[in-house]
Amino acid sequence: MTPELLPLASLIEDGRVHVLDGAMGTLVYDRGIFVNVCYDELNVTEPTLIEGVHRDYVAAGAEIIETNTFGANPMKLSSFGLAEDTEAINAAAVGLARNAANGRALVVGAIGPLGIRIEPFGPTSRAEAQAYYARQVAGLVEGGVDGFVLETFSDLNELHTAFEAVRAQSELPVFCLITIGQDGRTAYGTAPDAVAAQATDWGADVIGVNCSVGPAVLLDAVEQMARVTDRPLCAQPNAGLPREVGGRKIYLASPDYMAQYAARMIDAGVRFLGGCCGTTPEHVKRIVESVSAVQPRIHAVEIRPQGREDGSGLADEVPLDERSQWGRKLAAGEFLTSVELIPPKGWSPEGMLHTAQTIRDAGVDCVNVTDGPRAQAHMGVLPAALLVHREVGIEPIVHYTCRDRNMLSMLSDLLGAAAGGIRNVLIVTGDPPALGPYPDATAVFDIDSIGLTNLVQGLNRGVDPGGSRIGDPTRYVIGVVANQAAVDLEREATRYMWKIEAGADYVLTQPIFEAGHLECFLERTAEWQRPTIAHLRPFTSLRDAEFLANEVPGVHVPPSVLRRMELAQEGGRESAENMGIEIAVEAFEAVRGLVQGVHVATPRGRTEAALEVLQRIGASREGG
């Protein structure tokens, strides 16, 4: 007769080591299901297959098996048109696992990340994310799980959101597991001990690491965790790093190797052991044998809340007026000027540097160095800005887009730029690549401008996105963009508010051609306002005006302005250029009392026209 199973809470408290199952996706793939299908939907379409995988793990000795629901949240299911089936898919998964367990193993509901960025590094709020998780939790609760495993999380903020979603519906035990890279930290840079300390404060029942890069790195991670928490630890490593063999990714860590590390992890204080990607029932069987042969060591813990890398040790920001000359003038309420500078399409910087010198000699405060303008390839914005800063001596503002980089790459860029002396950054989401000449180019958009503003604000407080200290805080003056003529003005105002809350020091408008839109926008956003810099864009021709009016997102050119350009074009090129400058000057005069500065951009970097605009409005240092 099979002995009666103890509740999961009893296993957590009994001081003994217990074994979980291994990979689900690896076995499903090996049994003929390709990766272009929804593995979570297999709970409904291929129940015999999923139940068979569970049975194999129970036969191997697993005491706890996870449901096949890692990606069964509405966000991930929506890509397969299955969001409406969230609750049903999760409930069905529990039923299959229970049938396979047949009273010999407990069943825990597996919950993974949503696959999207949530605030502060993405547009999805924590409340929205919690609502997505709540639907998955509801299905698992309906199915009758014994507990929950929140696994493979990199974002501590998202892990907490998922935890809160569980706690809102259930008091069953919750495992909180992160995934780390070769450097022993999450993709956000959070150290394992910081995660363990935070999860302990939340009330997580079990804390640990899964997936990641194999047993060796996970062993280091759980050793760090053991120093700061008294909660039981869990480790579910991959079977090493995958290797490309015959066009397939194969995990090469043998069951014996996994068993060897299981013994070491038990000695480090791990109480729950299992496997993740690449592991099989044979790996689990060997882990079970290793557990049987080793007496677990229950680690004594002295909780050390001091020195956590959880954001509690944020440094004070360097005052705005000490970060850069641009920041000093912002703080003092002085008038500011900048001119757009486009990096060269080749690798030679001479032309760019000559233009920067011309702008400097005209008394302009900064050059705004653009980043892949119009989604075209140019010299990288950071090396271009560093060259200008070093060779010309005028302060650059780095116009930095989120389009082409993931968050880790942006973090690396910005730390390097700070080391090189860059102090001013203008953060924008970026134009889609389809607007440029490379139709097959792809975008990243890992985080948007709001998320990146949050990231830079963290660097200015001395921490990276994971809450790890970076040493001295960076000294960035943070600029963002607002579209005063947006069609959905309510949405634009909300995003403006989020950018200010994220840490923006000033705001650059979209090109201005009439005052009404800006007046309305500033009135709507008065509660959150920061210094506003007016963006002026003198036309060079009727064709240029028509292009801006019809083909550039976010820019509004009134019909009356187009008509003036049409009439001026009849007088020839010079007449059209003069009219373009005149329209820009008039636009500035209409908003002069609303703004603290002006930025001038021209097509193809026509610096003469930009400087002419500044000279006419008397905004350059030489012009008074």
Side-chain angles (χ1 to χ4, degrees), residues 132 254 492 590:
Y132 293 140
S254 69
E492 186 67 17

Side-chain angles (χ1 to χ4, degrees), residues 484-524:
Q484 74 281 356
V487 174
D488 187 347
L489 197 59
E490 188 62 37
R491 178 178 183 274
E492 186 67 17
T494 299
R495 286 183 59 82
Y496 176 91
M497 175 191 71
W498 289 341
K499 291 175 183 180
I500 299 306
E501 289 183 343
D505 296 304
Y506 72 96
V507 180
L508 177 68
T509 71
Q510 287 284 13
I512 294 174
F513 298 100
E514 60 180 2
H517 285 124
L518 183 60
E519 290 173 346
C520 179
F521 184 80
L522 292 179
E523 180 179 345
R524 182 180 290 253

Side-chain angles (χ1 to χ4, degrees), residues 7 46 64 99 105 112 149 167 190 227 243 246 308 325 328 331 338 388 412 440 448 494 498 511 539 579 588 594 598:
E46 297 284 348
I64 303 168
N99 289 341
V149 173
R167 277 289 169 260
T190 311
R227 292 194 289 267
R243 307 290 178 84
R308 290 184 193 167
Q325 285 300 311
R328 183 192 64 76
S338 71
V388 168
S412 299
D440 296 325
D448 66 2
T494 299
W498 289 341
F539 301 125
M579 178 57 69
F588 173 75
L594 304 174
V598 62

Side-chain angles (χ1 to χ4, degrees), residues 417-490:
I422 299 299
R423 296 292 180 262
N424 307 305
V425 61
L426 177 69
I427 297 172
V428 298
T429 298
D431 296 324
L435 296 177
Y438 315 112
D440 296 325
T442 57
V444 178
F445 292 122
D446 191 20
I447 56 176
D448 66 2
S449 56
I450 298 169
L452 185 56
T453 303
N454 273 294
L455 185 153
V456 178
Q457 169 72 352
L459 298 181
N460 277 355
R461 301 292 302 277
V463 295
D464 69 10
S468 299
R469 296 184 182 85
I470 61 169
D472 291 338
T474 56
R475 300 185 172 200
Y476 282 116
V477 177
I478 305 172
V480 294
V481 173
N483 183 3
Q484 74 281 356
V487 174
D488 187 347
L489 197 59
E490 188 62 37

Side-chain angles (χ1 to χ4, degrees), residues 208-549:
V209 192
N210 78 295
C211 199
S212 308
V213 290
V217 175
L218 260 68
L219 177 59
D220 291 337
V222 294
E223 287 175 338
Q224 293 179 46
M225 289 180 161
R227 292 194 289 267
V228 298
T229 183
D230 57 357
R231 303 312 301 144
L233 300 176
C234 177
Q236 293 181 272
N238 289 345
L241 290 171
R243 307 290 178 84
E244 195 80 23
V245 179
R248 293 181 58 189
K249 291 189 182 298
I250 304 295
Y251 290 84
L252 300 180
S254 69
D256 287 341
Y257 180 77
M258 294 285 284
Q260 175 185 343
Y261 263 93
R264 296 176 183 175
M265 288 182 180
I266 293 169
D267 187 58
V270 170
R271 292 267 319 286
F272 291 87
L273 277 166
C276 203
C277 302
T279 56
T280 66
E282 186 59 29
H283 289 86
V284 170
K285 181 180 178 181
R286 293 289 289 114
I287 291 173
V288 170
E289 293 171 357
S290 183
V291 168
S292 300
V294 178
Q295 177 67 35
R297 175 177 66 84
I298 303 175
H299 60 281
V301 178
E302 177 186 355
I303 302 298
R304 294 179 298 174
Q306 294 83 11
R308 290 184 193 167
E309 298 183 13
D310 60 6
S312 60
L314 291 173
D316 292 332
E317 284 184 282
V318 174
L320 179 60
D321 62 354
E322 296 178 16
R323 297 182 214 166
S324 70
Q325 285 300 311
W326 183 263
R328 183 192 64 76
K329 295 190 75 170
L330 272 176
E334 298 178 30
F335 197 84
L336 289 151
T337 58
S338 71
V339 170
E340 182 177 87
L341 182 66
I342 301 175
K345 291 187 177 180
W347 64 275
S348 176
E350 278 76 12
M352 175 187 69
L353 296 177
H354 176 74
T355 300
Q357 289 168 353
T358 301
I359 295 170
R360 179 201 62 193
D361 294 344
V364 178
D365 291 304
C366 282
V367 288
N368 190 316
V369 187
T370 59
D371 186 12
R374 306 297 304 142
Q376 298 184 23
H378 289 257
M379 178 187 289
V381 64
L382 292 180
L386 288 166
L387 281 167
V388 168
H389 179 58
R390 184 184 69 191
E391 301 295 332
V392 179
I394 186 173
E395 275 196 357
I397 298 173
V398 171
H399 179 125
Y400 196 80
T401 71
C402 303
R403 178 190 59 231
D404 306 318
R405 311 164 177 92
N406 64 23
M407 188 174 72
L408 182 60
S409 175
M410 288 188 268
L411 175 62
S412 299
D413 277 354
L414 291 163
L415 289 173
I422 299 299
R423 296 292 180 262
N424 307 305
V425 61
L426 177 69
I427 297 172
V428 298
T429 298
D431 296 324
L435 296 177
Y438 315 112
D440 296 325
T442 57
V444 178
F445 292 122
D446 191 20
I447 56 176
D448 66 2
S449 56
I450 298 169
L452 185 56
T453 303
N454 273 294
L455 185 153
V456 178
Q457 169 72 352
L459 298 181
N460 277 355
R461 301 292 302 277
V463 295
D464 69 10
S468 299
R469 296 184 182 85
I470 61 169
D472 291 338
T474 56
R475 300 185 172 200
Y476 282 116
V477 177
I478 305 172
V480 294
V481 173
N483 183 3
Q484 74 281 356
V487 174
D488 187 347
L489 197 59
E490 188 62 37
R491 178 178 183 274
E492 186 67 17
T494 299
R495 286 183 59 82
Y496 176 91
M497 175 191 71
W498 289 341
K499 291 175 183 180
I500 299 306
E501 289 183 343
D505 296 304
Y506 72 96
V507 180
L508 177 68
T509 71
Q510 287 284 13
I512 294 174
F513 298 100
E514 60 180 2
H517 285 124
L518 183 60
E519 290 173 346
C520 179
F521 184 80
L522 292 179
E523 180 179 345
R524 182 180 290 253
T525 59
E527 182 180 349
W528 313 301
Q529 271 177 32
R530 291 291 184 273
T532 301
I533 307 298
H535 183 169
L536 302 183
R537 172 61 162 74
F539 301 125
T540 57
S541 66
L542 173 61
R543 180 179 297 180
D544 177 35
E546 291 175 337
F547 170 76
L548 205 67

